[in-house]
Amino acid sequence: MTQRISASSVSAVRARARMIERLREQGIADVRVLAAMNQVPRHLFVQEALASRAYEDTALPLGCQQTISQPYVVARMIELLAHGRDLGKTLEVGAGCGYQAAVLSCMAREVYAIERIRTLIERAKDNLRPLRLPNLRLKYGDGSVGLPEAAPFDTIIVAAGTASVPKPLVDQLAPLGRLILPLGSVDQTLLMVERLADGRLKESRYDAVRFVPLLAGTE
């Protein structure tokens, strides 16, 4: 993965190392997740005015009433999905600026990242172009219906809150696949849905989180 080499980049490398140490202290233990988070230059995905805050453990505004998730939440969701397995073919719903998709691409065989806001998908393309990630595909579309033409997926990660689990996403989950999303309209909790070998679905709840709502359609 190529990076822009400059004094600011050197500073960013140091800030990223501090972020990784903080993630360890917060309980992120999967070395694959930590390596992926360390590999992706988060400062390239935030607005220039916020670049100095890129490695803080906080969500940052992207415009269009969207945010880039805080590093801990990104790491936590991916660690839960990757526990005891590989991510395989992965769908990300809510690509935003492209940051989480880049992290996923370091661990998954293939990543399809879908975004409903045209301004953001174009920004994500610009952000990701210098990184030249051959296993990542960006799609403009309605993430609430998934991406049936590329299904089934071993892993689905939803970066927006929803009051119920969208049936199209569950239908696109491969056998032994996992889906994680923030469930709830106001009070949100990370919900994992796993498709077991016999086809049954298993649900598990984890951390309290706060995400923007999952909306249908495109704009």
Side-chain angles (χ1 to χ4, degrees):
M1 183 178 292
T2 58
Q3 297 184 31
R4 303 169 193 167
I5 304 301
S6 65
S8 61
S9 292
V10 172
S11 177
V13 168
R14 293 171 180 161
R16 193 152 65 247
R18 291 193 295 271
M19 179 188 75
I20 298 304
E21 185 56 37
R22 186 172 62 245
L23 289 173
R24 287 195 183 97
E25 293 170 354
Q26 291 172 304
I28 302 300
D30 190 322
V31 294
R32 299 169 299 168
V33 175
L34 293 170
M37 297 285 289
N38 192 45
Q39 192 172 355
V40 178
R42 192 170 187 259
H43 63 282
L44 299 184
F45 292 85
V46 303
Q47 297 177 30
E48 187 174 354
L50 297 172
S52 63
R53 301 184 59 197
Y55 298 100
E56 295 178 8
D57 193 34
T58 186
L60 296 172
L62 294 175
C64 304
Q65 298 182 311
Q66 303 297 305
T67 60
I68 179 174
S69 298
Q70 69 186 90
Y72 173 76
V73 172
V74 173
R76 175 65 169 156
M77 292 175 75
I78 297 175
E79 183 173 64
L80 288 169
L81 289 167
H83 180 68
R85 66 194 283 266
D86 294 325
L87 296 181
K89 183 197 278 189
T90 297
L91 173 67
E92 181 196 27
V93 175
C97 63
Y99 172 71
Q100 184 170 258
V103 175
L104 290 165
S105 76
C106 297
M107 295 180 58
R109 184 177 72 252
E110 297 176 80
V111 177
Y112 293 82
I114 187 167
E115 172 56 55
R116 62 179 293 274
I117 300 175
R118 187 178 294 277
T119 300
L120 288 183
I121 197 73
E122 294 302 324
R123 188 182 306 167
K125 290 177 181 178
D126 290 341
N127 292 339
L128 289 162
R129 191 171 291 113
L131 304 183
R132 299 176 182 174
L133 303 172
N135 63 336
L136 172 57
R137 297 171 178 83
L138 291 176
K139 301 288 184 178
Y140 171 62
D142 182 353
S144 67
V145 299
L147 200 63
E149 63 268 30
F153 296 98
D154 303 298
T155 300
I156 301 177
I157 183 168
V158 182
T162 177
S164 60
V165 182
K167 186 176 183 298
L169 297 184
V170 176
D171 291 344
Q172 292 170 38
L173 199 58
L176 304 180
R178 290 178 181 171
L179 178 158
I180 196 166
L181 53 72
L183 185 69
S185 300
V186 180
D187 296 322
Q188 298 173 348
T189 304
L190 287 181
L191 177 75
M192 175 94 77
V193 179
E194 300 177 76
R195 188 179 297 283
L196 304 179
D198 60 7
R200 291 182 299 120
L201 298 174
K202 174 186 175 183
E203 294 188 356
S204 305
R205 293 174 185 259
Y206 297 94
D207 314 36
V209 290
R210 185 176 181 182
F211 279 77
V212 297
L214 179 67
L215 301 177
T218 57
E219 61 179 63

Short mmCIF file of all heavy atoms in Angstrom, two decimals, residues 69 73 77 81 90-95 100 104 114 143-146 155-162 164-166 169-170 178-183 188-191 209 211-215:
data_model
loop_
_atom_site.label_atom_id
_atom_site.label_comp_id
_atom_site.label_asym_id
_atom_site.label_seq_id
_atom_site.Cartn_x
_atom_site.Cartn_y
_atom_site.Cartn_z
N SER A 69 -16.68 6.56 11.35
CA SER A 69 -16.80 5.94 12.67
C SER A 69 -15.50 6.04 13.46
O SER A 69 -14.40 6.10 12.88
CB SER A 69 -17.17 4.46 12.53
OG SER A 69 -18.43 4.31 11.91
N VAL A 73 -14.70 1.51 17.24
CA VAL A 73 -15.91 0.85 16.74
C VAL A 73 -15.61 0.08 15.45
O VAL A 73 -16.08 -1.04 15.26
CB VAL A 73 -17.04 1.87 16.54
CG1 VAL A 73 -18.24 1.23 15.83
CG2 VAL A 73 -17.47 2.45 17.88
N MET A 77 -16.10 -4.02 15.49
CA MET A 77 -17.02 -4.70 14.58
C MET A 77 -16.28 -5.72 13.72
O MET A 77 -16.74 -6.86 13.53
CB MET A 77 -17.76 -3.69 13.71
CG MET A 77 -18.73 -2.81 14.49
SD MET A 77 -19.51 -1.51 13.49
CE MET A 77 -20.72 -2.48 12.55
N LEU A 81 -16.58 -9.93 13.68
CA LEU A 81 -16.85 -10.66 12.43
C LEU A 81 -15.76 -11.67 12.11
O LEU A 81 -16.03 -12.73 11.54
CB LEU A 81 -16.98 -9.67 11.27
CG LEU A 81 -18.23 -8.79 11.25
CD1 LEU A 81 -18.06 -7.65 10.26
CD2 LEU A 81 -19.46 -9.63 10.91
N THR A 90 -16.83 -10.02 1.30
CA THR A 90 -17.42 -9.10 2.27
C THR A 90 -18.20 -7.99 1.59
O THR A 90 -17.76 -7.43 0.59
CB THR A 90 -16.31 -8.49 3.15
OG1 THR A 90 -15.67 -9.54 3.89
CG2 THR A 90 -16.85 -7.46 4.12
N LEU A 91 -19.36 -7.67 2.17
CA LEU A 91 -20.16 -6.53 1.74
C LEU A 91 -20.18 -5.49 2.85
O LEU A 91 -20.51 -5.81 4.00
CB LEU A 91 -21.60 -6.97 1.42
CG LEU A 91 -22.59 -5.83 1.13
CD1 LEU A 91 -22.23 -5.12 -0.17
CD2 LEU A 91 -24.03 -6.35 1.08
N GLU A 92 -19.84 -4.26 2.51
CA GLU A 92 -19.98 -3.15 3.44
C GLU A 92 -21.13 -2.27 2.98
O GLU A 92 -21.14 -1.79 1.84
CB GLU A 92 -18.70 -2.30 3.52
CG GLU A 92 -18.85 -1.15 4.51
CD GLU A 92 -17.79 -0.08 4.35
OE1 GLU A 92 -17.27 0.09 3.24
OE2 GLU A 92 -17.51 0.61 5.34
N VAL A 93 -22.09 -2.05 3.85
CA VAL A 93 -23.22 -1.16 3.57
C VAL A 93 -22.96 0.17 4.26
O VAL A 93 -22.87 0.23 5.48
CB VAL A 93 -24.55 -1.77 4.07
CG1 VAL A 93 -25.69 -0.79 3.87
CG2 VAL A 93 -24.83 -3.08 3.34
N GLY A 94 -22.81 1.21 3.46
CA GLY A 94 -22.47 2.53 3.99
C GLY A 94 -20.99 2.80 3.88
O GLY A 94 -20.29 2.93 4.89
N ALA A 95 -20.50 2.90 2.65
CA ALA A 95 -19.05 3.06 2.43
C ALA A 95 -18.53 4.40 2.93
O ALA A 95 -17.36 4.50 3.29
CB ALA A 95 -18.72 2.90 0.95
N GLN A 100 -13.36 2.44 6.16
CA GLN A 100 -13.58 1.09 6.67
C GLN A 100 -13.42 0.05 5.56
O GLN A 100 -12.92 -1.05 5.80
CB GLN A 100 -14.97 0.97 7.29
CG GLN A 100 -15.25 -0.37 7.93
CD GLN A 100 -16.53 -0.36 8.74
OE1 GLN A 100 -16.49 -0.28 9.96
NE2 GLN A 100 -17.67 -0.41 8.05
N LEU A 104 -11.09 -3.24 5.69
CA LEU A 104 -11.62 -4.57 5.36
C LEU A 104 -10.82 -5.23 4.24
O LEU A 104 -10.59 -6.45 4.26
CB LEU A 104 -13.09 -4.46 4.94
CG LEU A 104 -14.07 -4.12 6.05
CD1 LEU A 104 -15.41 -3.69 5.45
CD2 LEU A 104 -14.28 -5.31 6.98
N ILE A 114 -20.88 -0.43 -0.68
CA ILE A 114 -21.97 0.27 -1.35
C ILE A 114 -22.33 1.53 -0.57
O ILE A 114 -22.35 1.53 0.66
CB ILE A 114 -23.18 -0.68 -1.52
CG1 ILE A 114 -24.27 -0.03 -2.37
CG2 ILE A 114 -23.72 -1.15 -0.19
CD1 ILE A 114 -25.33 -1.01 -2.84
N GLY A 143 -27.96 0.58 -0.14
CA GLY A 143 -27.39 -0.50 0.65
C GLY A 143 -28.40 -1.32 1.41
O GLY A 143 -28.12 -2.46 1.78
N SER A 144 -29.58 -0.78 1.65
CA SER A 144 -30.59 -1.53 2.40
C SER A 144 -31.08 -2.76 1.66
O SER A 144 -31.64 -3.67 2.27
CB SER A 144 -31.78 -0.62 2.76
OG SER A 144 -32.49 -0.24 1.59
N VAL A 145 -30.85 -2.80 0.35
CA VAL A 145 -31.24 -3.99 -0.44
C VAL A 145 -30.03 -4.86 -0.76
O VAL A 145 -30.12 -5.85 -1.47
CB VAL A 145 -31.98 -3.60 -1.73
CG1 VAL A 145 -33.25 -2.85 -1.40
CG2 VAL A 145 -31.10 -2.78 -2.67
N GLY A 146 -28.88 -4.46 -0.24
CA GLY A 146 -27.67 -5.26 -0.45
C GLY A 146 -27.15 -5.15 -1.87
O GLY A 146 -27.34 -4.14 -2.55
N THR A 155 -19.42 -12.27 4.78
CA THR A 155 -19.43 -11.24 5.82
C THR A 155 -20.19 -10.03 5.30
O THR A 155 -19.98 -9.60 4.16
CB THR A 155 -17.99 -10.82 6.17
OG1 THR A 155 -17.28 -11.95 6.67
CG2 THR A 155 -17.98 -9.72 7.22
N ILE A 156 -21.07 -9.49 6.15
CA ILE A 156 -21.77 -8.24 5.83
C ILE A 156 -21.64 -7.32 7.04
O ILE A 156 -21.94 -7.72 8.17
CB ILE A 156 -23.26 -8.47 5.50
CG1 ILE A 156 -23.40 -9.41 4.29
CG2 ILE A 156 -23.96 -7.14 5.23
CD1 ILE A 156 -24.85 -9.76 3.95
N ILE A 157 -21.19 -6.10 6.81
CA ILE A 157 -21.04 -5.11 7.88
C ILE A 157 -21.82 -3.87 7.48
O ILE A 157 -21.67 -3.36 6.36
CB ILE A 157 -19.55 -4.80 8.15
CG1 ILE A 157 -19.39 -3.81 9.30
CG2 ILE A 157 -18.83 -4.31 6.90
CD1 ILE A 157 -17.95 -3.69 9.79
N VAL A 158 -22.68 -3.41 8.37
CA VAL A 158 -23.56 -2.28 8.10
C VAL A 158 -23.15 -1.11 8.97
O VAL A 158 -23.14 -1.22 10.20
CB VAL A 158 -25.04 -2.65 8.36
CG1 VAL A 158 -25.95 -1.48 8.01
CG2 VAL A 158 -25.44 -3.89 7.55
N ALA A 159 -22.82 0.01 8.34
CA ALA A 159 -22.31 1.17 9.07
C ALA A 159 -23.39 2.23 9.25
O ALA A 159 -23.16 3.42 9.08
CB ALA A 159 -21.11 1.77 8.34
N ALA A 160 -24.60 1.77 9.59
CA ALA A 160 -25.72 2.67 9.85
C ALA A 160 -26.74 1.92 10.70
O ALA A 160 -26.89 0.70 10.57
CB ALA A 160 -26.36 3.15 8.55
N GLY A 161 -27.44 2.66 11.56
CA GLY A 161 -28.37 2.03 12.48
C GLY A 161 -29.72 1.76 11.83
O GLY A 161 -30.19 2.51 10.98
N THR A 162 -30.36 0.68 12.27
CA THR A 162 -31.66 0.31 11.73
C THR A 162 -32.52 -0.32 12.82
O THR A 162 -32.00 -0.99 13.72
CB THR A 162 -31.51 -0.67 10.55
OG1 THR A 162 -32.80 -1.09 10.08
CG2 THR A 162 -30.70 -1.89 10.94
N SER A 164 -34.70 -2.64 12.49
CA SER A 164 -34.84 -4.08 12.27
C SER A 164 -33.80 -4.53 11.26
O SER A 164 -33.26 -3.72 10.50
CB SER A 164 -36.25 -4.43 11.78
OG SER A 164 -36.52 -3.77 10.56
N VAL A 165 -33.53 -5.81 11.24
CA VAL A 165 -32.51 -6.35 10.33
C VAL A 165 -33.11 -6.45 8.93
O VAL A 165 -34.12 -7.14 8.73
CB VAL A 165 -32.04 -7.73 10.79
CG1 VAL A 165 -30.95 -8.25 9.85
CG2 VAL A 165 -31.53 -7.67 12.22
N PRO A 166 -32.53 -5.76 7.93
CA PRO A 166 -33.08 -5.82 6.57
C PRO A 166 -33.05 -7.26 6.02
O PRO A 166 -31.99 -7.88 5.97
CB PRO A 166 -32.16 -4.90 5.77
CG PRO A 166 -31.56 -3.98 6.80
CD PRO A 166 -31.40 -4.82 8.02
N LEU A 169 -30.51 -8.33 3.27
CA LEU A 169 -29.14 -8.57 3.70
C LEU A 169 -29.00 -9.98 4.29
O LEU A 169 -28.02 -10.68 4.02
CB LEU A 169 -28.71 -7.52 4.72
CG LEU A 169 -28.67 -6.07 4.23
CD1 LEU A 169 -28.14 -5.15 5.32
CD2 LEU A 169 -27.83 -5.94 2.96
N VAL A 170 -29.98 -10.39 5.08
CA VAL A 170 -29.95 -11.75 5.64
C VAL A 170 -30.01 -12.77 4.52
O VAL A 170 -29.29 -13.78 4.54
CB VAL A 170 -31.12 -11.95 6.63
CG1 VAL A 170 -31.15 -13.40 7.13
CG2 VAL A 170 -31.01 -11.00 7.80
N ARG A 178 -21.59 -14.25 8.51
CA ARG A 178 -21.91 -13.37 9.64
C ARG A 178 -22.26 -11.98 9.14
O ARG A 178 -21.62 -11.45 8.22
CB ARG A 178 -20.71 -13.26 10.60
CG ARG A 178 -20.42 -14.53 11.38
CD ARG A 178 -19.20 -14.35 12.26
NE ARG A 178 -18.89 -15.57 13.01
CZ ARG A 178 -17.79 -15.75 13.72
NH1 ARG A 178 -16.89 -14.78 13.81
NH2 ARG A 178 -17.59 -16.88 14.36
N LEU A 179 -23.25 -11.39 9.78
CA LEU A 179 -23.68 -10.02 9.51
C LEU A 179 -23.66 -9.26 10.82
O LEU A 179 -24.13 -9.77 11.84
CB LEU A 179 -25.09 -10.04 8.91
CG LEU A 179 -25.79 -8.71 8.57
CD1 LEU A 179 -26.88 -8.95 7.54
CD2 LEU A 179 -26.43 -8.04 9.79
N ILE A 180 -23.14 -8.04 10.81
CA ILE A 180 -23.17 -7.22 12.01
C ILE A 180 -23.71 -5.84 11.66
O ILE A 180 -23.40 -5.30 10.58
CB ILE A 180 -21.77 -7.11 12.68
CG1 ILE A 180 -21.90 -6.59 14.11
CG2 ILE A 180 -20.82 -6.23 11.86
CD1 ILE A 180 -20.63 -6.77 14.94
N LEU A 181 -24.56 -5.32 12.55
CA LEU A 181 -25.14 -4.00 12.32
C LEU A 181 -25.53 -3.36 13.65
O LEU A 181 -25.71 -4.06 14.65
CB LEU A 181 -26.34 -4.07 11.38
CG LEU A 181 -27.49 -5.05 11.67
CD1 LEU A 181 -28.34 -4.62 12.85
CD2 LEU A 181 -28.38 -5.17 10.44
N PRO A 182 -25.68 -2.03 13.67
CA PRO A 182 -26.18 -1.35 14.86
C PRO A 182 -27.71 -1.43 14.86
O PRO A 182 -28.36 -0.89 13.96
CB PRO A 182 -25.72 0.10 14.68
CG PRO A 182 -24.79 0.09 13.49
CD PRO A 182 -25.20 -1.07 12.67
N LEU A 183 -28.30 -2.13 15.82
CA LEU A 183 -29.74 -2.32 15.87
C LEU A 183 -30.36 -1.34 16.85
O LEU A 183 -29.94 -1.25 18.01
CB LEU A 183 -30.07 -3.75 16.28
CG LEU A 183 -31.56 -4.11 16.26
CD1 LEU A 183 -32.08 -4.15 14.83
CD2 LEU A 183 -31.81 -5.45 16.96
N GLN A 188 -28.88 2.09 20.41
CA GLN A 188 -28.41 1.09 19.45
C GLN A 188 -27.44 0.11 20.11
O GLN A 188 -26.65 0.48 20.99
CB GLN A 188 -27.72 1.76 18.26
CG GLN A 188 -28.62 2.67 17.46
CD GLN A 188 -27.86 3.43 16.39
OE1 GLN A 188 -26.62 3.47 16.37
NE2 GLN A 188 -28.58 4.05 15.47
N THR A 189 -27.51 -1.12 19.65
CA THR A 189 -26.62 -2.19 20.13
C THR A 189 -26.09 -2.94 18.92
O THR A 189 -26.81 -3.16 17.95
CB THR A 189 -27.39 -3.18 21.02
OG1 THR A 189 -27.99 -2.48 22.10
CG2 THR A 189 -26.46 -4.24 21.58
N LEU A 190 -24.82 -3.32 18.97
CA LEU A 190 -24.28 -4.15 17.89
C LEU A 190 -24.95 -5.51 17.92
O LEU A 190 -24.95 -6.21 18.94
CB LEU A 190 -22.77 -4.32 18.04
CG LEU A 190 -21.90 -3.10 17.73
CD1 LEU A 190 -20.43 -3.45 17.91
CD2 LEU A 190 -22.16 -2.59 16.31
N LEU A 191 -25.53 -5.90 16.79
CA LEU A 191 -26.19 -7.20 16.66
C LEU A 191 -25.45 -8.03 15.62
O LEU A 191 -25.22 -7.56 14.50
CB LEU A 191 -27.64 -7.03 16.22
CG LEU A 191 -28.40 -8.34 15.97
CD1 LEU A 191 -28.75 -9.02 17.29
CD2 LEU A 191 -29.66 -8.11 15.14
N VAL A 209 -23.77 1.35 20.81
CA VAL A 209 -23.10 2.19 19.82
C VAL A 209 -24.05 3.31 19.39
O VAL A 209 -25.21 3.34 19.78
CB VAL A 209 -22.67 1.38 18.57
CG1 VAL A 209 -21.54 0.43 18.90
CG2 VAL A 209 -23.87 0.62 17.99
N PHE A 211 -24.89 5.28 15.66
CA PHE A 211 -24.67 5.46 14.23
C PHE A 211 -25.78 6.31 13.63
O PHE A 211 -26.88 6.37 14.16
CB PHE A 211 -24.65 4.10 13.51
CG PHE A 211 -23.37 3.34 13.60
CD1 PHE A 211 -23.01 2.66 14.75
CD2 PHE A 211 -22.49 3.28 12.51
CE1 PHE A 211 -21.84 1.95 14.84
CE2 PHE A 211 -21.30 2.57 12.59
CZ PHE A 211 -20.98 1.91 13.75
N VAL A 212 -25.48 6.92 12.47
CA VAL A 212 -26.52 7.58 11.71
C VAL A 212 -27.49 6.51 11.20
O VAL A 212 -27.14 5.33 11.11
CB VAL A 212 -25.92 8.37 10.51
CG1 VAL A 212 -25.01 9.48 11.02
CG2 VAL A 212 -25.17 7.44 9.56
N PRO A 213 -28.75 6.88 10.86
CA PRO A 213 -29.72 5.89 10.45
C PRO A 213 -29.46 5.34 9.04
O PRO A 213 -28.93 6.04 8.17
CB PRO A 213 -31.04 6.64 10.50
CG PRO A 213 -30.67 8.08 10.32
CD PRO A 213 -29.34 8.23 11.00
N LEU A 214 -29.85 4.08 8.85
CA LEU A 214 -29.80 3.45 7.53
C LEU A 214 -31.01 3.91 6.75
O LEU A 214 -32.15 3.68 7.17
CB LEU A 214 -29.79 1.93 7.67
CG LEU A 214 -29.78 1.13 6.36
CD1 LEU A 214 -28.46 1.32 5.63
CD2 LEU A 214 -30.03 -0.35 6.65
N LEU A 215 -30.80 4.55 5.61
CA LEU A 215 -31.88 5.08 4.78
C LEU A 215 -31.94 4.34 3.46
O LEU A 215 -30.91 3.91 2.93
CB LEU A 215 -31.70 6.58 4.55
CG LEU A 215 -31.65 7.46 5.80
CD1 LEU A 215 -31.39 8.90 5.42
CD2 LEU A 215 -32.93 7.34 6.61
#
